[in-house]
Amino acid sequence: MGRIIDISQEVFSCKVFPGDPSPHKDQILSINKGDACNLTEFSMCAHNGTHVDAPFHFIDGGKTVDKVGLEPFVGDCYVARHEGDVAASDAEVILEKAGRAGASERILIAGKATVTAGAARVFADAGIKLIGNESQTVGPENAPKEVHLILLGAEVVLLEGIVLAEVEEGRYFLSAAPLDLGGCDGAPCRAYLIG
């Protein structure tokens, strides 16, 4: 087995999409206070930190996270570096590199990248299973709906809020299985690469 690379944010210090509630924890039992154990209660948005988006996030009647299955989240992936808007032509280049590496079903984009609607259509038409990025949203932060509708409408699941600063371009094995939150539009996950 190769090196394991954690690409997840720590939950309680994570980036939060503007307007979303921040994660909160409360230690309700404490050994230091005479309790038998330490016990933490927490609350968070399904889209805090490193998380996945299921189609139901933007499509009423779309699959919820528990109905997506694990296959899109586990398997070979390609990490591509990009800064700025990912245009359709950029998506084609990324898919070409991923194809040569034998890992074109799952694409992770490292850098401050924003997937445009044109790129989303290229990825959706290619039939990929998952696209991931470092931002808390795959599309433009001020107008994420169109990109989400294109990708989630094609049942391309999204892995958002990953940390790829120290990851080089190339092929890896991805594990990013979400929590099994029945009926939810997304879920946090502990994402890692084996390379």
Side-chain angles (χ1 to χ4, degrees), residues 149-168:
L149 286 174
I150 293 165
L151 293 168
L152 295 174
E155 295 199 351
V156 178
V157 293
L158 309 180
L159 173 60
E160 298 172 329
I162 51 180
V163 181
L164 299 170
E166 305 300 319
V167 179
E168 295 179 7

Side-chain angles (χ1 to χ4, degrees), residues 98-166:
R100 285 198 307 265
S104 57
E105 291 186 327
R106 297 167 194 87
I107 305 293
L108 306 184
I109 303 175
K112 292 183 179 179
T114 301
V115 175
T116 64
R121 287 186 196 92
V122 170
F123 289 129
D125 290 346
I128 68 171
K129 295 177 180 176
L130 175 145
I131 187 161
N133 67 315
E134 295 197 73
S135 172
Q136 289 306 110
T137 184
V138 71
E141 190 174 285
N142 61 348
K145 186 173 182 178
E146 182 181 16
V147 169
H148 279 74
L149 286 174
I150 293 165
L151 293 168
L152 295 174
E155 295 199 351
V156 178
V157 293
L158 309 180
L159 173 60
E160 298 172 329
I162 51 180
V163 181
L164 299 170
E166 305 300 319

